[in-house]
Every structure is written in C-alpha cells, then in structure tokens.
Amino acid sequence: MKVVHIVNSIDKSTGGPARSVPQTCVELAEHDITIELITQESSDMVKVADRASLTVRFYSIWELF
C-alpha cells in the first residue's frame, strides 16, 4: 500500500498537524506501508524519524498546482 500525506508545514511553531502528521507517517512506515510526506521547508522543522519506506519531499505549495 502507498499513502501520500500533504501538510502545509512541519515547522515546530505551528503545532497540531505539524507534529501529528509526521508521527503518523513514521508509525505507518513501521508497518511496511510506503509513505510519502509532502510539505514546505521551514527553518525549524519537526524531526522526522528515518525509515526505509518513508520519503519526505519539500515543495512550495505553488509547485503542486
């Protein structure tokens, strides 16, 4: 199974989804689910644990459309 999560930011200052979405991605990746997390880069991002089946990609929101 492949899952894509898109969240505006994983900057520590934004809280909520910035922390819960990356953690959800890590947990799913531990169950052999291929995960792609798409977000914007920021200066103080939440650290996302390294997993073989988890890819984090950084895009400007304008690049997606």
Side-chain angles (χ1 to χ4, degrees), residues 29-54:
E30 289 181 0
H31 294 283
D32 296 324
I33 298 172
T34 302
I35 305 293
E36 184 171 1
L37 173 59
I38 299 174
T39 189
Q40 296 185 74
E41 271 190 289
S42 67
S43 60
D44 193 21
M45 293 184 292
V46 172
K47 180 156 175 53
V48 180
D50 188 27
R51 298 288 184 268
S53 59
L54 173 58

Side-chain angles (χ1 to χ4, degrees), residues 1-51:
M1 177 187 310
K2 294 181 181 181
V3 177
V4 175
H5 289 272
I6 301 172
V7 65
N8 183 48
S9 174
I10 58 172
D11 191 276
K12 291 178 183 176
S13 68
T14 62
R19 295 180 185 269
S20 61
V21 171
Q23 186 59 38
T24 299
C25 291
V26 169
E27 295 297 325
L28 290 171
E30 289 181 0
H31 294 283
D32 296 324
I33 298 172
T34 302
I35 305 293
E36 184 171 1
L37 173 59
I38 299 174
T39 189
Q40 296 185 74
E41 271 190 289
S42 67
S43 60
D44 193 21
M45 293 184 292
V46 172
K47 180 156 175 53
V48 180
D50 188 27
R51 298 288 184 268

